[in-house]
Amino acid sequence: MGGRNQVISQNTSAHRAMAAGTARTRPRAKLRPGPRDGSRATERFSVGSSFMANTLSITRRALLLLGNLIQPILIIPAIKHGFNAQRGKEFRKSTGFATNRTPISTSRTVDLLEIAPLILRLAFSKGEQRERLVQHVIYVGMPQDNRSRPSLAARGAIFLALFAMPRVASAQAVDVVETPTDIFEPERGAGIPISGSLFLYNTSALQGIYDSNIYNVEQNRTNDTSALLQSEFHLTTNLARHEVGVRAGVTTRKYSDTSAENSTTYHVDGHAHLDLGDRIDVYARGGYLRGIEIRGTAGDQFLTDRPVRFDDKYIEGSIERTGGILEAGLAGSFTRRKYLNASINDTSIDLSFRDAEIKKATLKASYRLSPVMRLYSEFSVNDVTYDQNLGVSRDSKGYSALAGIHYEVSKLVDVIAAVGYIHQKFDAPGTKAATGLNYRVEATWTPTPKWKLTASGERFVDSSPLSDIPAIVRSDFRLKVQRALGDRMLVEAGAVYTGEDYRGLSGTDRRYTGYGNVQYRITRNISAVVEGGYRKQSGGASGRSYSGASVSAGIRVAL
């Protein structure tokens, strides 16, 4: 499903990175059901009932064994109620150990040959294996005679086991620990029931924005304030396995003084998800988008009276099989892009030379090496065809290959790192093929329940809106940090780097963006957002350089 995202993402999401003040309207995932207070702490540290029973049994034995360890100094009368042989046999049956297992000698002589194997196994074990070894070590070190006490070697093994016990509990609790986006409860709507399993959702946002450089130019800057209204409706089914839905949204920006920069964009699409069983899922999506080229980006036609507008018609689909040792997926997309005429001083400019068709297909596969690590691979091909070529063809075909690892310990640590090769061949005889290193990085780290760090990076070839440049090689890096301050407030900061390498022209635009925002949930359906950002682009001798800042404040409503 990534074809369209790579092709038009800079058009649909660049404004958020450039202005650093627009509201996000993507519906948020619903929180897990349950009480809001005590259930979180209970769920975070909950473990299986069998583990709890074993832990209580181990703890009882451990207390008695500790009494044996300090018996030369303190006499504990309760030690005479220790375990007899019959209780030991019952415990071994309940934990699955062989009833003929010989306990470690309780002689005062240190028997290192007898205790060393257990110590080594305990040191290098983890998970369920360590849990069983903890039970084993404490049992076999338990004196069978009520009046005897463990040997020095047995005491050492028991000491290690007591330190290993908390690690077992924490390892099982990792998978259910909450992240900042779990703790923070954003505005959300229950939806409006239409008929049976059909629901209608809406997310809207209204913001006031101040921008110090609305045209993104280096000199003669123009500052202005604007009002931004975004609204999206989502009509979807609520079935157990399948989903079919329609989305429609509109974004309107109105400036106070510079009315020529006013813009309205909108989109509508249909999507479907079919669960075919046997871990096979099919996704499909198609729709229409009216967008604008952000001022100062590669698609901006300098000095136009109004922002450059374009229409995208797209269709994409994928089939995936996940959850096994071998996972695989095949995706494809087709986008038809058409530019509307622009004007300079009321003189019409034909931009039809930008019209193009973009096709892409991607094959992904991963192989599980262990419960936490998978080998990851990806191979994709693309074809870019322009409707018109003014003198020299700008058509191109290419491919990219990636190989790496997917490391997922839990929801706390999830990393995809892959490197490979990229190759794009152009029909123009004098244009050198774009080749070189390809990469993709996606990482999520939650060091504590209230902090979350997300990073990503990728490189890809994009179509060019300029008549003398066949393609643009884009490099994109993003970093985001989130901090939850309770269930009503979320603080977020981020940085974005985008490099645009113009093929056929010795020039590269490098754009840096930083932002920060605070989100506060007022009620179940309403939240307030305050955000600020700074951007800077360096275009070199042949490019466009500028900088600017923005601040915004607004509200979001979800129904």
Side-chain angles (χ1 to χ4, degrees):
M1 302 294 290
R4 175 178 168 268
N5 292 335
Q6 290 185 350
V7 171
I8 68 172
S9 61
Q10 73 280 3
N11 298 317
T12 57
S13 64
H15 187 74
R16 184 178 301 123
M18 295 293 298
T22 58
R24 290 182 296 269
T25 59
R26 179 179 300 174
R28 297 177 178 269
K30 297 180 180 178
L31 298 179
R32 295 188 298 272
R36 289 176 48 190
D37 298 326
S39 64
R40 282 204 175 92
T42 303
E43 182 182 11
R44 187 181 307 170
F45 300 103
S46 63
V47 293
S49 59
S50 61
F51 173 74
M52 292 300 298
N54 291 335
T55 301
L56 292 175
S57 178
I58 289 172
T59 303
R60 192 166 52 150
R61 288 165 171 74
L63 292 175
L64 294 176
L65 289 169
L66 286 175
N68 275 328
L69 291 175
I70 63 174
Q71 190 176 11
I73 302 174
L74 299 175
I75 299 177
I76 303 177
I79 196 66
K80 65 182 181 179
H81 299 293
F83 299 131
N84 54 30
Q86 180 61 30
R87 292 179 183 176
K89 291 181 180 179
E90 293 176 357
F91 172 73
R92 287 199 289 183
K93 290 181 179 180
S94 65
T95 55
F97 296 123
T99 56
N100 58 356
R101 182 74 54 88
T102 302
I104 294 178
S105 172
T106 57
S107 170
R108 297 178 184 273
T109 303
V110 179
D111 191 352
L112 294 179
L113 294 179
E114 188 176 12
I115 196 66
L118 278 178
I119 296 177
L120 289 175
R121 290 178 62 191
L122 185 64
F124 291 97
S125 64
K126 59 182 180 180
E128 294 182 2
Q129 183 182 12
R130 174 173 290 188
E131 178 186 345
R132 294 180 60 83
L133 281 173
V134 167
Q135 300 175 33
H136 186 195
V137 169
I138 291 180
Y139 167 70
V140 296
M142 178 66 202
Q144 302 301 308
D145 187 346
N146 291 339
R147 292 169 297 178
S148 62
R149 47 179 207 270
S151 67
L152 185 60
R155 298 179 199 181
I158 293 167
F159 186 71
L160 290 177
L162 293 176
F163 272 95
M165 265 201 316
R167 298 187 180 186
V168 176
S170 63
Q172 296 193 16
V174 162
D175 286 337
V176 297
V177 71
E178 292 174 318
T179 65
T181 50
D182 293 331
I183 295 176
F184 170 68
E185 296 184 2
E187 75 292 348
R188 64 191 188 278
I192 302 172
I194 303 299
S195 175
S197 61
L198 189 64
F199 286 81
L200 177 65
Y201 299 88
N202 173 257
T203 305
S204 300
L206 177 63
Q207 283 187 300
I209 305 171
Y210 169 81
D211 197 306
S212 66
N213 188 3
I214 64 173
Y215 289 107
N216 285 332
V217 293
E218 190 171 12
Q219 299 178 351
N220 300 321
R221 301 182 180 185
T222 301
N223 61 75
D224 203 351
T225 57
S226 63
L228 182 71
L229 174 63
Q230 296 176 301
S231 184
E232 183 179 71
F233 291 88
H234 185 200
L235 181 65
T236 184
T237 58
N238 187 18
L239 303 175
R241 295 176 55 186
H242 312 296
E243 180 184 6
V244 178
V246 177
R247 293 181 186 271
V250 62
T251 300
T252 300
R253 183 188 292 265
K254 300 293 183 181
Y255 284 88
S256 299
D257 301 325
T258 318
S259 59
E261 288 300 294
N262 294 346
S263 62
T264 300
T265 61
Y266 44 87
H267 68 273
V268 59
D269 67 65
H271 60 88
H273 168 219
L274 301 178
D275 182 355
L276 303 183
D278 198 22
R279 308 192 314 273
I280 299 177
D281 294 276
V282 176
Y283 300 88
R285 185 183 180 194
Y288 167 81
L289 166 72
R290 164 65 62 86
I292 62 171
E293 297 284 7
I294 305 304
R295 293 293 192 181
T297 62
D300 180 27
Q301 186 79 15
F302 298 158
L303 305 177
T304 55
D305 298 332
R306 308 179 70 88
V308 174
R309 298 170 298 167
F310 64 89
D311 293 335
D312 273 354
K313 299 176 182 178
Y314 56 89
I315 184 172
E316 53 192 25
S318 67
I319 180 170
E320 303 174 358
R321 179 166 182 171
T322 59
I325 296 178
L326 178 64
E327 296 183 347
L330 178 64
S333 65
F334 171 82
T335 301
R336 170 66 177 171
R337 181 171 300 165
K338 181 178 178 60
Y339 281 84
L340 282 68
N341 291 345
S343 65
I344 298 180
N345 296 327
D346 295 329
T347 301
S348 180
I349 300 176
D350 185 8
L351 298 181
S352 60
F353 66 88
R354 297 185 175 193
D355 299 348
E357 292 181 352
I358 303 102
K359 310 178 190 72
K360 185 172 183 180
T362 302
L363 176 64
K364 296 181 180 181
S366 65
Y367 181 80
R368 187 174 65 201
L369 297 176
S370 72
V372 299
M373 183 175 294
R374 305 183 72 93
L375 285 178
Y376 173 84
S377 63
E378 177 182 324
F379 182 80
S380 63
V381 295
N382 68 81
D383 180 278
V384 180
T385 304
Y386 292 90
D387 290 356
Q388 300 179 23
N389 287 300
L390 304 179
V392 180
S393 175
R394 293 174 293 153
D395 299 346
S396 64
K397 297 179 178 63
Y399 64 88
S400 65
L402 290 167
I405 61 169
H406 182 188
Y407 182 71
E408 184 179 9
V409 177
S410 67
K411 69 183 299 185
L412 303 183
V413 180
D414 189 356
V415 179
I416 296 178
V419 296
Y421 181 75
I422 191 170
H423 179 94
Q424 192 78 10
K425 182 179 179 181
F426 306 102
D427 289 354
T431 304
K432 185 180 180 180
T435 61
L437 178 68
N438 193 20
Y439 50 82
R440 174 170 297 165
V441 178
E442 298 177 11
T444 301
W445 178 41
T446 306
T448 72
K450 293 186 177 182
W451 286 92
K452 183 177 181 180
L453 288 81
T454 306
S456 65
E458 64 177 341
R459 193 182 190 205
F460 57 93
V461 177
D462 198 6
S463 60
S464 170
L466 306 179
S467 60
D468 55 346
I469 297 175
I472 298 175
V473 180
R474 299 184 188 273
S475 301
D476 186 84
F477 294 92
R478 298 175 181 270
L479 175 65
K480 181 174 67 176
V481 181
Q482 293 176 309
R483 172 71 158 89
L485 303 176
D487 65 349
R488 287 181 175 266
M489 184 176 293
L490 182 70
V491 179
E492 180 179 314
V496 181
Y497 166 79
T498 301
E500 297 175 335
D501 182 11
Y502 298 92
R503 308 306 296 186
L505 180 67
S506 58
T508 301
D509 287 341
R510 295 178 174 87
R511 186 162 51 254
Y512 308 87
T513 305
Y515 72 91
N517 64 55
V518 178
Q519 306 170 48
Y520 181 78
R521 182 176 62 87
I522 301 173
T523 68
R524 174 186 175 91
N525 304 92
I526 303 174
S527 70
V529 182
V530 178
E531 186 167 354
Y534 177 80
R535 61 191 183 275
K536 180 179 179 61
Q537 177 169 300
S538 175
S542 59
R544 188 174 186 176
S545 300
Y546 60 83
S547 62
S550 66
V551 292
S552 66
I555 60 171
R556 289 199 303 253
V557 180
L559 300 176

